[in-house]
Structure formats: C-alpha cells, structure tokens
Amino acid sequence: MPELITVCWANGKPYQAIYGQHGEMEILNPIEPRVHSTMDALLREVKSIFPSNYIHLGMDEVYDLCWRSNPNVSRWMTDNKINSTRDLHSYYANRILDTMRNISAITIVWQDVWDEKVELPPGTIVQIWKAGQGYNVILSSPWYINYINYGHYRTNTTIVNLEFFKYCEVEPLRDFSGSDDAKIRILGGEACLWGEFVDGTNLLARLWPKTAAVAERLWSAASVNNSEDAQFRLDVHRCRLLRRGIPAQPILNGYCGNYELSMPNSMINDPAFNYDISPATDLTTTTIKSNPATSYLFDATSSMITSIFASLLLLINITLVTISFKY
C-alpha cells in the first residue's frame, strides 16, 4: 500500500532519492489517516489470530530524513504544534498505543519509545539495548549476532573459544547493582540479527549456531558457565543442523562427515525432513515425469523451502522461549 508510505522530496520535487540519506519513498507517513486505520485493523487481526497476548510494536531508531524533506509533513507539524520529528514519532506511537489499550493486548516496544517520554500502557515490556527503568524488560544488547569478528575469544582460562562464544559468556545478572525489585523485572533475553548486510544468501549461516549459544545461556542456570564445554556440545548440534540441510557456520575445525550440504549423504532430501503439504481436498495422486535435471531442480527447490521453514520454526521457538528465565 504505497499510499501509506512517506514521499521523500529534494530540490522542490517529490519522489526524489538522495543516496545515503533516503529513497524515493520510505517509512510510514504518520499524518496519513489511513496509516492509523490500517494499523488498527492489522493489530486487531493479529490479536484475533495468534494465541499470545503479547504484540511487539518495534519503534526503534526511527529514521526521519524523509519526513523532514516532505513539505506536507512539515506543514502538518506546524499546524498541529508538533515541534520536531521526535515529537512526530511520539504522536504516531501514542496513536498505536491507543489501539493496543483498546484491544487489551500487552505491548512490547524497543526502549526508544520510553526514551521519548511516551506514556506506555501498564504492563508494557521494554526491550532494552541501552538502559531502562520501571518496566519489565527483555535484554538484547549483549546478543547482536550480526556482528562479525575473526579468531579466538579470550576468557580468563582459555583462548580456544571462537568469537561468537562470547554470547555464552554473558550472565545477565552478574554484578547487577540494582534492587531486588529491578532484578525480577528482567524477564529474559532475545538474540537480534540486524539485516543491513544480511539476505537470503547468508541468513541461516549468520543465525546458526550463534543463536544456539544464546539459547544455551538463557536456558541455563548461572552456574552453567563453562563455554569450553559448551563449544563441543554445540559443535555436535551444528552437525545436527547440517544433517537437516541448515547451513550452520563452523564452530571448531572439525568435520561433520559426508552429509554436509551438496555431499552424497546429505539428508536435506530425506523424507524425515520433507513433508507433503498438498491441499487437504486433493485426493488424487499425480505422477510427475521429468528428466534428471528437472527432477534435481524440483528436489532442490522443495528442500530449500522446507529447510528455510524448519529454520524459521527453530528461530521462532528460541525467540519465544528465551524471553523467560528466572533465578
């Protein structure tokens, strides 16, 4: 729905992209009434379909250059005594939060909304990457798994661990200086993979097995903190992922056997990991005759879709479950 997106301007002309600043169109247009009616309908539909009463609204690091370039937005801000694009974002956030209040859903937002002094509904959960106060929170700042470093990761006892095992080293409540009331407000954590340099070619390799390292930390008691031990267990898990056709990146220099992707014994096409999802009303059986090349392409495509779907299910599982730990 392009009518919901802000038109960016330059040199007095609409639909102008400025490299490094903004595209021709980007970001929802908060002065467009249809944005708010659409978001209201969308959130109500989400609430009716999904069993969870939690809805994450995002709202972090709003990029405002397109808003600032648009004379219609500027004029509307003046007419409505909105003095900055930060205040404009607050206006939008308040409209969306009104919908959340009306549908009795529990709101999750990034902390930027709290930083902007928006009045959050009671029970709101704030996902923090800088700081938070007075709300239940989800911790994310230690687990930005899109960051890449090379080589070993040094601990007090070893330098064998690879870089991403720093995610296992995080202990959310170690050296915590807040009150007991503040401590119990830390509900859990979530791994984040930001997409500036991620697409379908490297998504799964970036996710796995780093995300498994985060799960290891969040599902374990504080006393389970031997990353040296964890790297061998997760190396085995990485091999399990490869067997299922998920291209998880290496942990150690070990070899997972000849079931790695594209190798003869790869289980990517094994019936255990591929499912018949034909429509329930279709009671006929169709035989497709094809030459080997066509058959190969068909198998590869269906396997790829199955692999991605399975990986997303694993990610969803981790995302949901790791938002819960208590000490």
Side-chain angles (χ1 to χ4, degrees), residues 163-209:
E163 175 272 336
F164 54 74
F165 269 95
K166 66 185 178 186
Y167 304 119
C168 271
E169 295 289 320
V170 174
E171 170 46 51
L173 299 181
R174 183 188 295 130
D175 301 323
F176 184 79
S177 59
S179 65
D180 289 340
D181 180 66
K183 181 182 294 186
I184 64 174
R185 288 186 176 278
I186 303 176
L187 302 182
E190 182 179 279
C192 298
L193 176 62
W194 302 110
E196 290 92 338
F197 302 102
V198 176
D199 62 13
T201 64
N202 62 353
L203 171 63
L204 295 177
R206 290 282 180 89
L207 280 173
W208 303 107

Side-chain angles (χ1 to χ4, degrees), residues 39 66 70 83 87 91 101 106 116 158 181 196-197 217 268:
M39 291 302 299
C66 186
N70 187 305
N83 299 319
D87 292 339
Y91 163 81
R101 294 182 183 97
I106 299 175
E116 293 171 3
T158 181
D181 180 66
E196 290 92 338
F197 302 102
R217 177 65 275 143
I268 189 170

Side-chain angles (χ1 to χ4, degrees), residues 7-18 22-24 69-72:
V7 175
C8 306
W9 288 58
N11 301 317
K13 298 178 181 179
Y15 300 99
Q16 300 299 306
I18 301 177
H22 56 66
E24 294 181 3
S69 76
N70 187 305
N72 300 317

